[in-house]
């Protein structure tokens, strides 16, 4: 007897789950119905800043698989159709066709919730004015590009200096805008410790991006035409022809909450290791709407990243398809860039470590991406946290140029393996003058951290 | 009472050991005498191809620390002084001042042997003719550069297609030579499996480097002036104005052998984990003259690489200085490039795995260095070996463009940690479109290898 799988959300997690389940079970065994409220399926939201900035020429390049391609694989993907309720005991979902305005119930045997995240829009006066843009979805990206086309002005204000904020700052700079970034924090990139964030700040200054720290936005000011004209903080006003919000996202779990499904402290769905919603045998959840276990701190976190969403989808699809897979958790790796400045982190920052009661040492080293004598050797700063007494690696942050970002993978694997910084000093990393100094910067940091652990006693 | 440390060899391992010991013990506690038979101390032999090719302007840039700098740190470094005998029971070494021709015995309390490696010069007719060059030492590099200056011809033959061979091919190409590389193997880069070596071969073809496989050199032909004029194989003759030997190296352990110290199957000194020569409490050895434990195969190997030599020196110096450190072994990581082609390996090749009785699966995946839609995304081929049944990672080889080489570090850490390929599929690696597809190429290979392990049963 055929079963029906219903998927809510047509992006990375949902459609990876659907595709993987389809690979394992034919249409005769498993019917798959997927609902997506937007215009696009399976796209790279992480690519939006590069599309806005012009590095990616066309929106279509960001789409990994179109609705038609999914349908050709026997996945009944219904676009512009929003699920408005989940009836858990009745095993059905209510959906609304956003164009036709019609509603219908669809029964499920198995359900995947992949509703993603929604941008935090601080409840400020003027926040909904024309010219104020989020960049969470392809629809958002298109709206921003249309807005840039329509507006002759060249002053952009980015609110928030996390990954999206700095990437959008680069994109707008590339389009010829005067860019001001306002951040509430002491430094941009609050995903780094402030001492490392300062390096990013300095580099952004050097690029001609104005970064204002400790800037709490109080109001969006509009002109006579109703369109944004400036952003106000307690201290100042920043003229703006366009405003981009990079103020973070929260799990989009209103449906799940209404259905009584278990949510965590960050508002994300809670799942088991097989990505099943806790306590619900036939409901899975993945992507930006779930919380994941941070393997270093032992706490649940919300980490909205396409790479995790894809893994979740894969795991869910494997399990629904009758195979077996798990998602053990994350170590908190993230990489980004602003022009040629590369920024990376993995594991815990100082404040994360303190929050979970860890005592630690920190070291920071300056090295280079290549042998010092090799052309193009660029400075690289590596900060490392290690637990006192045990010497266990807790986290690494890297700021540098070419070759800096992906070096964090060394630490990501070491964290996963629970290595000590002393064990890391013996790692057999790739060495040749065009690729690394004879002591890789990560090894230098590990040596210094080993000494610091011992000195701290 | 002051002790005396004698160090034989003034390059990476020897001088790192001396420097680290000096940091821990003052000149009043420990006298340090070091002997170097060449003209240079503490230099990067790995940088020689880039100096020859012109990427590094001056020889001096390759020197990390001059004899004067060592002496300023109370290390009595005697240049152009060759140790000609070690009297183990008498705890003394005999040295000859190569310029003055005088000999002297020096007593030691502790001894470090860091005599490096010597190039294999196949015993061919003509091998010692002018115009035939090894590139093992700075002196060799200088001799080659002088020879290139003197010779108007533009035809270079490189014998051997390992790391040194391909790097020298690039260097000579950069200097405007017509370059032919002769390799005995089926493909260049025998440190890779032949299927991956083929990718290197193809790329070298594309660069205009002629690579001749299965070419066993039988003779070096000389002209009327006695200088090299061609290289002969059984099948053919290759005109040459200059010949570079990249035919590998062997541990330089003639002194150690004469002194009755323990050597392994590859002719290298055998040490314990603290880098003490086995059975000798006060004698240490490190760098290119020792064999190291391959942590994946469980066998001893000879791996002449500056990065290991530096680690050995650090470990030896720490132990002599009264601290404690070990060198647990290697996993066989090596990276290189030919122009913009990057080449990397870690762990075991197919033949290495077979040799130690392992049964395994292999998978090869084609992916890209960045998100496919991001400018500059370049193809990358990743080959992965995993043990049958257990799924333990055994090795990875990568050939690609920018971002390919150092990706092998992910596998190097995973090998060190003994991870299975299935555990690797969950690794939290850095993802952003400029740095990786949403599934990093290494993750794609791990997924495919996981499936292959299961399929193999």
């Amino acid at each position: 007897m055929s079963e029906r799988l219903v998927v809510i959300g047509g992006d990375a997690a949902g459609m990876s789950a659907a595709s993987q389940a389809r690979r394992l079970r034919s249409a005769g065994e498993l019917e798959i119905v997927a609902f997506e409220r937007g215009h696009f399926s399976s796209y790279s939201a992480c690519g939006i800043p590069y599309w806005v900035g012009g590095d990616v020429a066309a929106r279509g390049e960001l789409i990994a698989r179109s609705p038609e391609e999914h349908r050709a694989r026997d996945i009944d993907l219904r676009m512009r159709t929003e699920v408005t309720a989940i009836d858990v005991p009745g095993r059905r979902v209510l959906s609304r066709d956003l164009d036709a305005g019609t509603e219908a119930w669809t029964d499920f045997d198995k359900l995947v919730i992949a509703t993603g995240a929604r941008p935090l829009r601080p409840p400020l006066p003027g926040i909904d004015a024309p010219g104020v843009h989020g960049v969470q979805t392809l629809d958002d990206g298109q709206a921003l590009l249309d807005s840039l086309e329509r507006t002759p002005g060249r002053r952009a204000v980015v609110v928030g200096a996390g990954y999206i904020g700095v990437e959008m700052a680069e994109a707008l700079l590339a389009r010829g805008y005067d860019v001001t970034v306002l951040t509430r924090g002491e430094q941009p990139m609050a995903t780094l410790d402030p001492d490392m964030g300062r390096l990013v700040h300095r580099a952004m200054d050097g690029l001609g991006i104005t970064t204002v720290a400790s800037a709490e936005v109080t109001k969006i000011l509009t002109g006579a035409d109703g369109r944004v004209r400036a952003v106000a903080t307690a201290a100042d006003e920043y003229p703006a022809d366009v405003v981009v919000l990079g103020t973070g996202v929260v799990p989009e779990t209103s449906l799940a909450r209404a259905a009584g499904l278990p949510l965590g402290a960050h508002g994300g769905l809670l799942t088991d290791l097989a990505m099943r919603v806790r306590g619900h045998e036939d409901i899975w959840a993945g992507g930006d709407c779930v919380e994941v276990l941070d393997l270093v701190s032992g706490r649940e976190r919300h980490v909205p990243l396409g790479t995790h969403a894809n893994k979740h989808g894969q795991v869910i699809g494997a399990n629904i398809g009758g195979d077996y897979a798990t998602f053990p958790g994350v170590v908190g790796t993230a990489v980004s860039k602003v022009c040629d400045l590369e920024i990376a982190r993995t594991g815990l920052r100082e404040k994360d470590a303190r929050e979970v009661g860890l005592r630690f040492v920190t070291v920071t080293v300056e090295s280079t991406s290549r042998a010092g004598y090799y052309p193009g050797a660029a400075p690289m700063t590596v900060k490392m946290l290690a637990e006192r007494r045990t010497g266990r690696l807790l986290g690494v942050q890297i700021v540098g140029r070419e070759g800096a970002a992906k070096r964090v993978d060394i630490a990501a694997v070491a964290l996963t393996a629970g290595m000590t910084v002393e064990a890391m000093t013996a790692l057999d990393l790739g060495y040749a003058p065009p690729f690394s100094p004879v002591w890789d910067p990560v090894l230098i940091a590990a040596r210094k951290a080993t000494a610091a652990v011992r000195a701290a006693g």
Side-chain angles (χ1 to χ4, degrees), chain A:
Chain A
M1 197 190 72
S2 171
E3 282 193 318
R4 181 186 291 149
L5 164 64
V6 166
V7 176
I8 310 176
D11 199 1
M15 299 319 290
S16 290
S19 302
Q20 181 65 12
R22 173 57 73 234
R23 241 171 260 135
L24 296 167
R25 295 174 69 183
S26 70
E29 296 172 293
L30 183 74
E31 181 191 357
I32 304 180
V33 181
F35 297 100
E36 165 55 43
R37 65 181 174 185
H39 293 88
F40 308 102
S41 66
S42 300
Y43 61 88
S44 171
C46 336
I48 294 173
Y50 309 105
W51 169 40
V52 172
D55 278 329
V56 175
R59 189 177 66 195
E61 293 181 46
L62 299 183
I63 298 174
R65 201 169 278 179
S66 68
E68 295 67 34
E69 290 171 294
H70 283 297
R71 288 186 201 117
R73 287 170 169 83
D74 286 320
I75 294 169
D76 178 5
L77 171 55
R78 303 182 190 172
M79 301 300 294
R80 296 278 298 149
T81 307
E82 182 168 15
V83 171
T84 54
I86 305 171
D87 175 4
V88 172
R91 300 170 85 86
R92 58 185 189 154
V93 301
L94 180 62
S95 66
R96 173 198 296 271
D97 181 320
L98 295 178
D99 297 321
T102 53
E103 286 201 332
W105 285 99
T106 306
D107 297 333
F108 65 80
D109 297 292
K110 297 182 189 306
L111 176 67
V112 173
I113 303 174
T115 43
R118 66 165 187 276
L120 268 174
R121 281 179 92 87
L124 296 172
I127 191 86
D128 293 319
V132 180
H133 294 270
V135 282
Q136 179 67 7
T137 64
L138 272 196
D139 287 304
D140 293 340
Q142 189 63 63
L144 171 60
L145 279 169
D146 293 345
S147 174
L148 295 178
E149 288 289 311
R150 275 196 309 269
T151 317
R154 284 325 229 192
R155 295 162 309 176
V157 171
V158 177
V159 181
Y163 293 102
I164 296 287
V166 302
E167 288 165 8
M168 287 308 303
E170 172 183 347
L172 291 162
L173 189 73
R175 291 184 70 95
Y177 283 76
D178 283 336
V179 183
T180 300
V181 178
L182 305 179
T183 173
R184 290 199 298 189
E186 178 184 340
Q187 294 294 346
M189 294 305 289
T191 51
L192 305 180
D193 285 321
D195 53 338
M196 296 296 280
R198 189 176 310 129
L199 303 178
V200 179
H201 194 153
R202 209 175 293 156
M204 289 171 75
D205 285 350
L207 292 165
I209 296 168
T210 303
T211 308
V212 184
S214 309
E216 184 80 54
V217 173
T218 53
K219 205 190 290 192
I220 308 285
L221 304 171
T222 51
D225 58 355
R227 192 178 161 90
V228 64
R229 68 168 177 83
V231 177
T233 65
D236 226 326
E237 258 186 49
Y238 301 89
D241 302 301
V242 67
V243 173
V244 172
L245 300 175
T247 35
V249 299
V250 289
E252 174 55 275
T253 47
S254 41
L255 275 181
R257 183 185 300 272
L261 297 174
L263 303 184
H266 307 281
L269 275 155
L270 295 176
T271 73
D272 67 10
L273 292 169
M275 300 309 293
R276 259 193 190 87
V277 173
R278 292 188 194 167
H280 293 267
E281 185 64 20
D282 291 320
I283 307 181
W284 282 259
D288 291 359
C289 67
V290 304
E291 297 187 10
V292 293
L293 179 63
D294 181 317
L295 297 165
V296 188
S297 70
R299 297 262 177 100
E300 251 87 29
R301 286 180 56 193
H302 180 232
V303 187
L305 261 183
T307 185
H308 299 326
N310 272 280
K311 288 198 186 95
H312 294 167
Q314 194 78 26
V315 166
I316 293 168
N319 289 315
I320 289 177
D323 200 347
Y324 168 67
T326 65
F327 182 83
V330 304
V331 294
T333 311
V335 298
S336 187
K337 76 177 190 72
V338 196
C339 300
D340 69 343
L341 186 81
E342 299 188 4
I343 306 161
R345 56 150 284 167
T346 190
L348 308 183
R349 294 164 299 179
E350 294 195 26
K351 72 174 205 178
D352 303 321
R354 266 192 292 271
E355 223 170 81
V356 293
L358 288 164
R359 294 187 62 187
F360 56 89
V361 298
T362 71
V363 298
T364 302
V365 304
E366 309 280 341
S367 180
T368 52
S369 55
R370 308 174 177 188
Y373 56 78
Y374 194 86
M380 186 182 302
T381 305
V382 179
K383 177 172 182 172
M384 188 174 278
L385 277 72
E387 191 182 13
R388 278 186 60 177
R389 306 283 168 82
T390 69
R392 181 169 61 107
L393 177 69
L394 295 180
V396 165
Q397 296 162 44
I398 307 179
V399 174
R401 309 279 160 174
E402 187 201 357
K406 282 294 270 180
R407 249 184 184 86
V408 84
D409 286 348
I410 297 164
V413 185
L415 278 170
T416 306
M419 281 188 186
T420 64
V421 289
E422 186 152 13
M424 289 178 73
T425 63
L427 284 173
D428 184 1
L429 303 179
Y431 163 63
F435 301 116
S436 174
V438 71
W439 291 98
D440 189 280
V442 175
L443 294 182
I444 300 174
R447 278 173 56 191
K448 198 169 168 187
T450 301
V453 168
R454 193 178 324 169

